[in-house]
Amino acid sequence: MPTVILLDLSLSMTRPIVSGDNDFQRKHLAIQGVSTLLDYLAAHNRLEFTALVAFSSLWELVVPFTRDYKELKEGLNRMDDYDKTCIETGLAGVSQIVMDEWGVGLPCQVIVVTDGSPGVGKGSLKESLERFYSLQHRHEDLSTEGDEFPLPFPFPSKLHLVCLATTPEVQGVLGQLQRLVDMNGGAGGVHLPEGELSMATCQALFSKLAETQFPAVAWTLKCGHMSSEVQAVPIVETFKKMYDFGPVVREPSLEMEILGFLDSKDIASPAVISRHLVLPKPTKTEKEVSEGGGAASGEGDGDTAEHDGKAPSFCVLLHGSLKVESMVALVQLGESWYGFLYSWADSKKKSNLMLSVLEPGDDAVSWLGKISQLGPVASSPHNPYGEDDTMSPYPVRHADKRSYAQNTTVWIKPSGLQTDVQKILRNARKLPDKQQTFYKELNRLRKAALSFGFVDLLEGMSAMLERECTLLPGTAHPDAALQLTHAAKELRLAINKDYDDNIAPLQTHFSKSDND
Amino acid sequence: MAAEGSAPKIFPSSHKTVVILDHSPFMSEPCGQTVDFDILPKQSRAAPGIIPLAPLAKSLWTCTVEAASEYARVVYDVYPPRSRDKLLKFVITDTEARPLNSWVEEEQSLSNVLQGLAVVGPPSESDDAENCSVMHGLAMAVESLCEGSEKQLEHKASLADPEEPVVNKGRVVCITTVKSQGHIQMLEECMQEAIVQHNKIAEAADKLPITHCELVLIHTVPVGADNNIQDEPNKEVSSLLSCEVHSVHSGRHIAAKLALLVQKHFHLTSTTITGIPMKEEQNASTSANYDVEILHSKDAHIEILKMGSTSQGYDSSGFACSKDSFGRETVILKWCTPKTNIIELQYCTGAYRITPADVNSRPSSCLTNFLLNGRAVMLEQPRKSGSKVISHMLASHGGEIFLHCLGTGRSPLEDPPSISEGTGGRVTDYRITDYGDFMKENRLMPFPVPQEGHILPAKEAAAVLERTTRYWPLVISDTIIFNMASHIDPLPTLITKAELTEDEVVECQKSIYHLVGMESRSEPLPIPAMGTRGKGPKRDEQYRQMWAELDTLLRAHASTSVNHQKVLECLQEIRRPAEEAKESSRKAGKKEEVVVKEERVMTEQSTAELAWQEIQRYKAMSERERSDFEVGNTNNDHFRHRQQTEVSSPPIKKLKTSLEDSQGKQQGGQPSLLAIWTSRINSRYASRHCEFAGRLTAEGNKAELYVNLNKDSTNGTSDKPTSVKQEKRGP
């Protein structure tokens, strides 16, 4: 996930370090620390985007989101000193930068590097917090426009407040800083260097932050006995969401186990919570990719470092076949947590293996049915894909139909009723050919009239059918008149009859002869 | 808007809603609006002078029922009853209260409610108005809310502490006509009292006390009638009850009010799709543009709502958000003429069920039918400037229409390294096609819920993958046997099965014998040319590798079943020198188990060594055949023919007669490979014949067979009549 580093450049950051013989400012510590973090990212998370923002009473985007770590470091060295700390302004800046770049769907890391001085007067931490609570109270009564507090961020995020100060120095402010983290949903935290303030302790602090927040997580991609060590970029985060009946928390199991395969068109763009590139992990010690694979390839594969590109990887094979066949591999990521792998191309030339993570749950994709009930085609007596691969068992159809998929009657607007009445009359004029449709529509009207307690309509419809009977042209089929009279009579009687007691066509001499 | 756009709370009131419909005589009064139902077509063929029938007047009851069923239709469409998330219960109240359905899934449907309403029928003016009261309905609503829904009961069962109370919230929508402000007061008090009383009972009985209830009172009067009741915003009556009052005229007004409330109650919002081209007539050449309004979860517009409130790019100038005459807000999205087929995977951040706001209007049904027929359509945000932003997609899946939210922001995955740059990226001879076939064979399909004691289909799928990948070389140059499918089939397919029938074992053995035959004729193996230096390994070395690979494959599967083990044994036996095979088979007759164990612990090298010896032997043997071959090329065909007929096994019944013939054909001296093979086949079929005879005399088919076996040896594995024993019994 993209990272925004928000650096405090207020005057208080120029304070020299009290202890130690070097002439360091806190700003230098901050720059050195951020540089440590960038070095780590350059080594382990080259594909992540990072932006550098400076703030005091105003904010400024120093380096926009980039993977160019050199540029970020150069940005660090261009920092000037400004006036007072105004953390709310800084956070508002971050919010705007992220929204402009990524929108609201993408999780971001926000790392604020400050000296823990809360600022004074308007824009100080204390004043900001007070304003936040007053806003919150007003929100309950009526929604306010414009005057919004930047927290919580509109996008999912982790907020880290790195305080370059000793614990006694910021004793009073820690609570307030923590409250900022809590306001943003609680992810992240307040970080202080251990012990005294020095170059070493600050570097240690940033290294630790880098390692905990950007861990190089290795996944095992498995398909039966075939496996491959892979890395998911960006890392798959722990899933946390509040549902109607409580929170759901899922930890990624670090094992992507393939359950089976599906055609791309069958999985049909389901909702996903995140997407990750799946890259084969460069390994020093070559892992046997399939059981017994070594036997055939010979044993003398000693020097593996240069073999990295040449040693076959299951992950690459899988990608190749998924791409050729336009298929996806359904994988399990944790307890009742699934995702799917497919070939994805950013440009025409470069394609990659992509993991889309589904929301945890057995019915994450309604049209696949319950995922735990997907089984191997081989276990079925007949192949649901058909002999020539033209059929598919998907989408799974559910027994209950939605209102728009059946003939729902709504007469709230007069046009609804008029259309239904006209439809009956149209069919009435084409009797006896349209007899079936005529009675079907007539019964639909009858049922709706009974449900809505609209009995006058039955009387009215009956009268219309009688009139229609008198208007029949001389050339009309004699059965038409009989059916119309019958329907008109039955419609009147329906008021006192059962809901399910459908009006049946009159068995006439003509209809019988038709049947013969 | 920002506050409303926030995510729904835990244990929402919308989980259970009771809709109370007042069925007292007053409701039979006309609503004050009439509906023209007899519209004469313009070009009426009817004789002039026909007077249309008088417009009909709907009663207050009809308007109420229509509005309430529309409320239910929207809820059931957007939250299908099978998800059991949002439940509705209808209660009719007059001199008593009658429920039309219950919380259980089967009774949660619009048709069920409509049928119930038909049974109740419209209120009658002659009913006893004095004893009619909406209070009966309120009491029943409270009682119903105390009943746990299926989900609530599941939640209760899942709680670690059985004493922990289940949060039980609900909403009561009551449509009635009140007499005065004081009447409302009285209803609130009645409701409060009912909750307190029922909560007491609920604790004793096995029910759920109400944590909080929201009463939505809708006061309705005929259109044009005096209305002295004021709307009241939501207020907390007590910690258990909040109440709000909506005062509306009947007719279309009450329907509009409920349409607004259903959005508020169920976290819904409206989208209007504009510019949908529709033909006026079938085969018309021109089309007019229509708009269709749909309802769906507010979450589908979370991006627009959040961006709208904080960013300038989406303010009212670019992002249209209009209000209709009833004060409904709607988001405008533009129809993008669909491509023929949208099958590519879209990056989709959410998919939400929709329902048309006006389900049976012509534009709505045109749109829904278009989508239900399997087409999908992209929707674009209307913007005055800037690039085109396609933010949503409408598509149906299994008869349900979904609004998909597409990722519109910049992707952090842009410009990734190609997979060919990483580990294994430079390997060019992956078995892509073979793995493609493997994937097709391992596609998943939905299975019904397994019965008690049966494994889940997903577990079964995992077991299949486990079996089929025990030996699966990744690249072409790593395998010989998988490059010679025409020679070795169907063995590689059969061996991965969970069970092998006797016939399949024979099929596998035939494949092995075929390879033996190939080796004896020194046929070249289809070794891929790549990756080998110079001329590549010699032919016998190739065969050595092939046998070793086959051994690896069969070994990997030997543990699956006894019959799999048999196939491996066949391979091992065939590759042992003929005399030794005979010798060991005699020994094996006595202590078979030991032999099997020994064979299993045999190392790769010793088998390879064995194979080498065999090859030498076979070489010597094939010398003569080669001389045969060299006698004259004209004899070729004859030779080939003989080979083929003997390699392909003759049908079982014929075998018995040809048994001696084939033995007679053996050319004396040391047994040839063919002899080993035929004797083995013979013994197998002979044993089969024996079994058949046994069955004839036995009472049960199996019983007789088992008895014989048990007499022969102490080995208990009854369904494992090994070749060794059969040989002993055979001739």
Side-chain angles (χ1 to χ4, degrees), chain B residues 481 545-558 568 571-572 575 599 602-604 607-608:
Chain B
I481 55 174
Q545 282 179 9
M546 189 275 288
W547 287 120
E549 197 187 355
L550 189 60
D551 188 76
T552 311
L553 173 70
L554 297 187
R555 243 166 233 281
H557 291 282
L568 176 65
L571 175 73
Q572 288 170 341
R575 294 181 58 207
E599 278 173 357
M602 233 198 286
T603 60
E604 197 70 50
T607 27

Side-chain angles (χ1 to χ4, degrees), chain B residues 229-242:
Chain B
I229 303 295
Q230 298 291 313
D231 277 8
E232 278 177 39
N234 194 299
K235 65 160 198 269
E236 293 290 329
V237 177
S238 72
S239 62
L240 290 171
L241 178 70
S242 70

